[in-house]
Amino acid sequence: MKNALRLLALTALATVFALPAYAQDAAAAPAAAAPTGPCTEADAKAAVYKRFTDNFKGTPDQQKTAYESGREYLSKYGSCEAAGDKQIATYVQNWVGKYEKAVVEFNCTKAANENPSQAFEACRPLIAANPDNVKFHLALVGAGIKSNASGSKNLNAQAAAEARTALRLIEQGKTADTWAPFANQQDTTMGLRYYIAAWTYDSAPEGAVAELLKVAQSSSIFAKEPATFQLLGAAYYNGELKKLADEYKAKYEGKEETPESKALFDRINVVLDRVIDAYARAVALSNANPSKYGATTTALRPVLTNLYKQRHENSEAGLNELIASVLSKPLPLPGQEPAPTASPASSSGTNGTNGASPATAQPAAGATAKPASSTTNTTPAAKPAATTQRPPRF
């Protein structure tokens, strides 16, 4: 917000500073005692007001001087009863109020851009006074993005709450004069959903899936990002798939197949197919732009291969064809999948359905998205970068 405080430079009040004169008829009445007090200090009062008018249209430093002078004027002369004094005091009070609001907004934006750890405290008064202002909530989302990109998760929960608030306000019809750190309203809406998922997929994976499915089916820039589908696959895996796999292991692992164990195993495979599809989309999008996403392909291809082989009798046959064609196919949605195909085979026949244990190769964690360089920038947030961390097993 370079020179942000210049916005407060208003047209000077065209008022001639004059003090009222009181004619006295010495012959008609005895002389009254001369009034005393600050309101009679014409020269001092005029000097404070002049210092205000000399600076209120200037640089930020000059406006700070004007603010201090305005506060001094109001403190000393704000209650003066003369008509001219009242008019000046009203004008000064109006300018001082606008300056104070601008300072709070400036400090909020500066903290969000330069020191995210202090942004939520710096922006608290602004949010309290303007709870329905989308732009101010987006500033804190930007702070969360910047903090997360630095490797810290300390602000994730707070930033996710701000993202939900901003999303709710937008859905209620609220708008903003700038959508930073996003490019426009559509990218803002889907970007908020993406970051809510990115900040909560490990603690609330089912909710993250719901958000990411909306992102993936949109026409926003986030629908074309490998990280969106990498995160979708990880959210499926950490949520629905892990829960089903844990249930299978507790109930059926190492036992003879039953109709119930086979039904549960088939449900696991349906979800695993969704995970594979999501990772295949991430790899396909990465392959389409190797100069930008070469590292993403390097990180994700082994994960996808491991999952695919687990699902297809330890074979990679058909994987390249899947990657080549997956973007032309509809995104599989929960509850709308075709009937499950044959379960992965094993010759032993001693480990549940066809001897296979469900889902033991965990996909890489969701990508950490990089933030826009400034919460006042109107360019899109930088594209999320895929993690290169090797996935753990559960």
Side-chain angles (χ1 to χ4, degrees):
M1 292 180 60
K2 184 176 180 182
N3 296 330
L5 301 184
R6 290 181 179 275
L7 297 176
L8 298 182
L10 308 176
T11 305
L13 181 65
T15 301
V16 178
F17 191 88
L19 296 177
Y22 298 94
Q24 298 291 334
D25 185 344
T36 60
C39 293
T40 65
E41 300 170 355
D43 291 343
K45 183 167 34 174
V48 175
Y49 183 60
K50 185 175 186 303
R51 189 162 66 250
F52 169 80
T53 57
D54 284 350
N55 289 283
F56 82 132
K57 292 193 295 183
T59 65
D61 286 342
Q62 287 178 304
Q63 290 194 355
K64 183 178 180 182
T65 298
Y67 172 71
E68 294 167 349
S69 301
R71 290 290 301 272
E72 180 183 355
Y73 187 95
L74 295 172
S75 174
K76 292 181 178 179
Y77 314 117
S79 60
C80 293
E81 293 295 327
D85 290 343
K86 287 184 176 181
Q87 188 177 11
I88 291 174
T90 298
Y91 178 76
V92 172
Q93 180 65 66
N94 182 57
W95 188 92
V96 165
K98 290 182 177 181
Y99 179 90
E100 290 175 342
K101 291 180 180 178
V103 167
V104 173
E105 182 173 349
F106 178 82
N107 290 339
C108 169
T109 304
K110 182 177 175 66
N113 287 336
E114 300 176 9
N115 196 344
S117 64
Q118 297 181 5
F120 286 83
E121 186 62 31
C123 296
R124 190 186 307 278
L126 195 62
I127 296 293
N130 306 273
D132 292 344
N133 191 306
V134 175
K135 180 174 71 173
F136 301 150
H137 293 287
L138 289 178
L140 292 179
V141 172
I145 295 171
K146 188 176 288 291
S147 175
N148 189 263
S150 72
S152 172
K153 295 184 178 182
N154 293 341
L155 299 182
N156 284 5
Q158 291 173 279
E162 293 297 331
R164 291 189 185 96
T165 298
L167 187 60
R168 173 177 55 80
L169 291 172
I170 293 170
E171 290 174 342
Q172 290 174 353
K174 298 294 191 298
T175 187
D177 56 1
T178 175
W179 297 102
F182 308 104
N184 51 52
Q185 183 170 343
Q186 176 177 255
D187 284 348
T188 296
T189 299
M190 294 304 155
L192 290 171
R193 294 189 185 282
Y194 171 83
Y195 284 109
I196 290 170
W199 291 327
T200 63
Y201 89 96
D202 51 350
S203 59
E206 291 84 357
V209 166
E211 299 293 357
L212 290 166
L213 287 176
K214 293 176 182 177
V215 175
Q217 296 176 91
S218 73
S219 56
S220 72
I221 59 170
F222 288 90
K224 301 173 179 65
E225 285 301 315
T228 293
F229 296 95
Q230 178 189 358
L231 189 58
L232 177 60
Y236 274 135
Y237 195 96
N238 288 339
E240 187 177 3
L241 184 59
K242 188 176 186 298
K243 187 180 299 183
L244 292 173
D246 288 346
E247 181 183 354
Y248 183 92
K249 289 178 181 179
K251 292 181 177 180
Y252 305 119
E253 189 170 44
K255 299 178 182 179
E256 292 298 324
E257 179 183 286
T258 65
E260 292 78 14
S261 69
K262 184 178 186 305
L264 180 55
F265 198 89
D266 287 343
R267 286 176 60 195
I268 290 171
N269 282 333
V270 167
V271 181
L272 182 55
D273 285 341
R274 274 191 248 133
V275 176
I276 292 170
D277 179 272
Y279 270 78
R281 291 172 190 272
V283 171
L285 288 168
S286 301
N287 288 345
N289 194 342
S291 62
K292 184 175 183 179
Y293 298 121
T296 302
T297 302
T298 300
L300 296 188
R301 180 62 187 251
V303 178
L304 172 60
T305 300
N306 193 8
L307 292 168
Y308 187 89
K309 288 171 65 177
Q310 178 178 313
R311 183 70 175 93
H312 295 86
E313 304 181 29
N314 204 35
S315 171
E316 295 183 39
L319 178 56
N320 290 334
E321 290 76 9
L322 172 63
I323 295 171
S325 63
V326 69
L327 296 179
S328 65
K329 300 176 182 178
L331 184 71
L333 301 176
Q336 299 181 21
E337 299 94 341
T341 57
S343 302
S346 171
S347 60
S348 68
T350 61
N351 215 22
T353 302
N354 289 332
S357 297
T360 56
Q362 183 173 350
T368 300
K370 295 181 180 179
S373 59
S374 167
T375 56
T376 58
N377 187 2
T378 58
T379 57
K383 307 304 185 296
T387 179
T388 57
Q389 180 180 358
R390 291 182 63 83
R393 298 170 68 88
F394 72 82

